[in-house]
Amino acid sequence: MNLQLDPKSTIPLHLQAEDLLRELIKQEEYRKGKLLPNEVELSQQLNISRNTLRQAINKLVFEGLLIRKKGYGTKVAKKGILSGAKNWMSFSQEMLAAGIEVRNFELFVGLKKPNEEISNFFELENENRILCLERLRGNKEFPFVYFISYFNPSIPISSDENFSLPLYEILEKNYNIVVKTSKEEISARLAGDFIAEKLEIAPNDPILIRKRFVYDINDNPVEYNIGYYRADSFTYTIESERK
């Protein structure tokens, strides 16, 4: 493929580079996982600055077309996780539907004091510690989501559970709690140092934050969950019907 830009064109160089990258990643070798040329090499080939090239790469990373891994390189993203507002699923169900084998990279269970929002959700009147589950999860290659879950203290769930099993399966089989409703909030921000280290991305890479308020069939609050997702691995879909 001819890697050349037109400096005389009225189209900005970063947009030309973006279009070239879109064509480049259609090639079979890159779709099969070959790393793209590094920024130094590619910027020299295109005769543009690294900042200009990085602007084009960042756009494709944000769209979920490329994955950039610190200390490793940049490659074409595989099909991302799709989640929708209608007929919501647990994370394990989402992964099963996407054909992704889940790997737990980290798992922590402990007792933590809830903040005001969590206390209000569970209607707690004191600041006693409640069960907190933190999990860093992903596929075989890399982690792409960091979950933090708090549970209603009225549920006698403890750190003795086997949390490698699907969470809602544990709740239903061991405690007869069937979850039904999930109210969600989706937001975006830069990763920051802590989340970037967990997800193996740069601190200024974008992430999606998915907050879930989970209720059982009797509308009792069950779980307060926050998930920090790599933006290159998560797509949220919304289906609406006009009344």
Side-chain angles (χ1 to χ4, degrees), residues 16-168:
Q16 291 188 52
E18 182 184 320
D19 289 339
L20 184 145
L21 287 172
R22 292 183 190 278
E23 292 302 315
L24 185 65
I25 64 178
K26 291 179 182 178
Q27 296 184 15
E28 186 175 2
E29 58 186 321
Y30 294 113
R31 294 176 66 87
K32 288 185 176 181
K34 180 181 177 180
L35 293 177
L36 270 64
N38 63 52
E39 289 186 4
V40 174
E41 179 184 346
L42 193 52
S43 61
Q44 289 175 348
Q45 290 184 49
L46 298 177
N47 196 26
I48 57 176
S49 70
R50 289 182 65 184
N51 286 337
T52 300
L53 174 62
R54 191 173 293 123
Q55 188 175 355
I57 291 175
N58 286 345
K59 179 67 181 302
L60 271 63
V61 169
F62 188 79
E63 291 180 8
L65 299 176
L66 291 177
I67 293 175
R68 181 176 50 200
K69 190 174 180 181
K70 187 176 181 181
Y72 178 69
T74 303
K75 66 178 183 178
V76 175
K78 294 181 180 179
K79 184 179 179 181
I81 307 162
L82 291 175
S83 181
K86 189 175 183 179
N87 297 324
W88 73 282
M89 298 184 290
S90 69
F91 177 79
S92 297
Q93 289 173 324
E94 289 175 346
M95 297 302 97
L96 181 63
I100 298 174
E101 183 177 344
V102 178
R103 176 182 176 186
N104 286 319
F105 287 81
E106 294 180 13
L107 192 152
F108 167 82
V109 186
L111 296 173
K112 290 189 175 183
K113 287 188 176 181
N115 61 27
E116 183 177 359
E117 182 177 39
I118 298 171
S119 295
N120 289 339
F121 174 60
F122 291 126
E123 298 181 356
L124 304 178
E125 297 181 356
N126 52 49
E127 297 183 358
N128 288 339
R129 297 175 184 270
I130 62 176
L131 189 71
C132 176
L133 171 64
E134 299 179 35
R135 291 183 289 182
L136 181 62
R137 314 187 79 183
N139 54 29
K140 292 182 179 180
E141 298 176 356
F142 58 87
F144 52 69
V145 59
Y146 176 56
F147 285 122
I148 302 176
S149 291
Y150 290 85
F151 299 95
N152 194 324
S154 66
I155 302 171
I157 189 171
S158 71
S159 58
D160 295 331
E161 299 290 346
N162 180 7
F163 286 106
S164 63
L165 297 174
L167 176 60
Y168 300 146

